[in-house]
Amino acid sequence: MSQFEHINIAPHEVPLQDELKDLLEKSAEMHHHLCPRQVLGVRVGLLGMQLLGFKQPIRQKRLLVIVETDGCFVSGVQAATGCSVNRRTLRINDIGRIGVTFVDVKTEEAVRIAPQNDVRQKVSDRMENAESRRARYMAMLQNYQLMPMDDLLKVERIQLSQPVRDIVSRPFLRVDCSVCGEEVINERERMIDDKPVCQQCAGQGYYSVKPA
Ligand SMILES: [Zn+2]
Ligand SMILES: [Zn+2]
């Protein structure tokens, strides 16, 4: 049984190489180089768009993508989807996995896509002599572009643990932290004793101030 059975996609489909090439160029432009992770990002991005029925350009920020790592992979996802951190359509939830969740903000339909666990092994198997590091790198760069979808990627239908509205929040909302006085935007404050407190002051910060 194919994981792509329930959707209208041929599982053995290989991306249109022209389209892929354009997107990879776009991705590499942001990066000054092209690498296997960017190819994965583009492939994952293309499939996510296809599964949720989106085409670039997407209007009204209807697609939210949540990427589970930072780095080169994100450039590929960004090239394929047009989503970005600065447009507030791409979020990084850095748990160090090469995965992406695609959310239709309107319907809250969500799919998570990641490379198959054995994708490196598959590439090695396709190689004649996987001796040098460089050769393995080049093989991944090539194969990630050519491998059929179901060999390369896995898909899960998922439900977000938080409503998408809370994840995105509304821009332009602002309150002052009742402890440090700094402005907190996009509803990122915590309420303590009915007062807004920024996450840092609420003890959920990512730093501590060095004593003078
Ligand atoms: Zn790279
Ligand atoms: Zn504060």
Side-chain angles (χ1 to χ4, degrees):
M1 274 286 156
S2 160
Q3 56 180 332
F4 298 102
E5 194 102 326
H6 55 299
I7 48 177
N8 202 15
I9 290 177
H12 301 299
E13 197 173 301
V14 166
L16 299 169
Q17 293 300 305
D18 284 351
E19 185 189 18
L20 189 64
K21 211 173 236 143
D22 284 352
L23 292 171
L24 288 174
E25 261 169 36
K26 210 163 122 193
S27 173
E29 226 168 72
M30 295 186 240
H31 248 276
H32 313 294
H33 71 284
L34 181 65
C35 61
R37 288 229 172 119
Q38 287 177 63
V39 179
L40 279 180
V42 168
R43 295 279 318 256
V44 166
L46 281 174
L47 181 57
M49 298 273 283
Q50 210 175 345
L51 288 177
L52 293 184
F54 287 114
K55 275 204 165 77
Q56 285 209 64
I58 301 168
R59 298 194 192 288
Q60 292 161 337
K61 306 189 177 181
R62 174 92 187 254
L63 174 66
L64 172 71
V65 300
I66 302 169
V67 189
E68 296 175 7
T69 182
D70 58 7
C72 301
F73 180 63
V74 184
S75 301
V77 175
Q78 199 168 325
T81 61
C83 293
S84 66
V85 169
N86 42 315
R87 291 190 68 237
R88 306 193 72 245
T89 47
L90 185 149
R91 310 192 70 81
I92 292 175
N93 180 29
D94 191 357
I95 56 171
R97 297 199 299 184
I98 312 290
V100 187
T101 286
F102 298 81
V103 190
D104 182 329
V105 172
K106 201 166 165 192
T107 62
E108 304 221 355
E109 184 186 1
V111 289
R112 179 179 180 273
I113 305 175
Q116 294 275 5
N117 295 354
D118 62 351
V119 78
R120 277 169 204 275
Q121 191 53 50
K122 280 186 189 135
V123 172
S124 300
D125 292 350
R126 284 167 167 234
M127 288 180 72
E128 307 274 281
N129 38 25
E131 299 315 316
S132 77
R133 231 185 112 109
R134 178 83 193 148
R136 279 202 303 273
Y137 182 93
M138 292 312 289
M140 282 192 279
L141 194 57
Q142 284 264 308
N143 279 285
Y144 289 172
Q145 294 176 59
L146 296 169
M147 276 166 88
M149 205 120 63
D150 58 349
D151 268 353
L152 185 72
L153 303 175
K154 61 178 182 185
V155 177
E156 301 163 287
R157 299 261 160 203
I158 60 149
Q159 163 110 47
L160 294 168
S161 335
Q162 222 188 338
V164 70
R165 192 184 301 109
D166 291 356
I167 297 175
V168 176
S169 174
R170 284 170 295 158
F172 312 122
L173 290 182
R174 70 184 84 206
V175 293
D176 290 340
C177 170
S178 61
V179 179
C180 69
E182 284 191 34
E183 189 173 86
V184 182
I185 61 170
N186 299 342
E187 296 179 301
R188 300 309 181 212
E189 69 275 11
R190 300 285 177 261
M191 293 306 284
I192 296 179
D193 296 332
D194 287 334
K195 288 187 188 135
V197 179
C198 76
Q199 293 183 38
Q200 181 69 31
C201 293
Q204 298 161 0
Y206 70 94
Y207 67 87
S208 61
V209 178
K210 285 185 178 175

